[in-house]
Amino acid sequence: MSSTIREFATRAGAIGAGAVLALASTATAATAEELQELNLRAWDGETELLSEVYAPDGVHTATFYDRTNEYVGLPQIAAVAGFGGVDPIGPRIDLPAAEGELRWASFHRLGGGSACLFHAVDDRIVRHDCVLPERSNGGRAPAGLADAEASAAIDAVVERLDAAWAPGTTAERLAEVYAPDAVHSARYLDRTRSYEGPEEIRTIVRGDSPERIGGRVDFEAAEDELAWAGVFDAAGGAVCLFRAVDGMITRHDCVLPING
């Protein structure tokens, strides 16, 4: 499978999912599916629904290669919502959450293949954190699903990646799957940490490769390039985007639902 999203930030993206949810404007969503569909409508032009979707102090972030844009509260979120064009693809992946809370990840077509983590409390989204595979002044074309040949090539890279993150790994072993100038970034709730090259990436490998939750999402990409995403059990559920060129990972960008 595969997916993509729009860059939600300065250029703000939204969705034309055409999802018709039979909820009055005074109703609240009870499930992740309902909240997601109502949110898609809100980002597709029905911005009056934002107050039914987000907590008054809800936070939306969009993390690019070069910066994170943060929007706090309904007025700021409304300022970047409503432009249409997100087009989610692939599965919504539900994550463990405390009673009265919901957590899930979703993937989207636009922006070259992107992903978001959501956290809702009492039927309102309190966090909506996205990672996008481009710089903030970029503009990648929408990406569809990868074909079978590309997915098979991704399988081979992922197998090498899992082996490289094994306990006791070395920078040399990581260099077998990461390009010399590869960047791994981790966007936490309060900051972003970045590591460049196998030597720096080695400093954060603590044990076994994190287990994937749900299916991998494979995106179509330029010739000689591979792109994919997945949700992992790190920090209770983190979403990561990967890009590889000539079989070597060049970007490995994650959003984690904890402070750094």
Side-chain angles (χ1 to χ4, degrees), residues 70-146:
E70 183 173 88
Y71 308 93
V72 181
L74 291 173
Q76 290 190 18
I77 294 173
V80 295
F83 291 91
V86 172
D87 295 337
I89 291 182
R92 185 193 72 253
I93 297 178
D94 294 326
L95 299 168
E99 185 175 357
E101 301 183 12
L102 296 168
R103 295 184 62 242
W104 72 93
S106 65
F107 307 90
H108 308 260
R109 287 193 69 251
L110 299 181
S114 308
C116 298
L117 279 180
F118 294 85
H119 181 196
V121 178
D122 295 332
D123 296 335
R124 293 292 189 277
I125 295 171
V126 295
R127 295 287 314 197
H128 170 189
D129 299 291
C130 300
V131 58
L132 301 101
E134 60 181 349
R135 296 180 63 84
S136 57
N137 62 352
R140 288 185 188 268
L145 306 176

Side-chain angles (χ1 to χ4, degrees), residues 56-67:
D57 58 351
V59 176
H60 165 55
T61 65
T63 296
F64 300 89
Y65 287 166
D66 57 330
R67 62 181 291 173

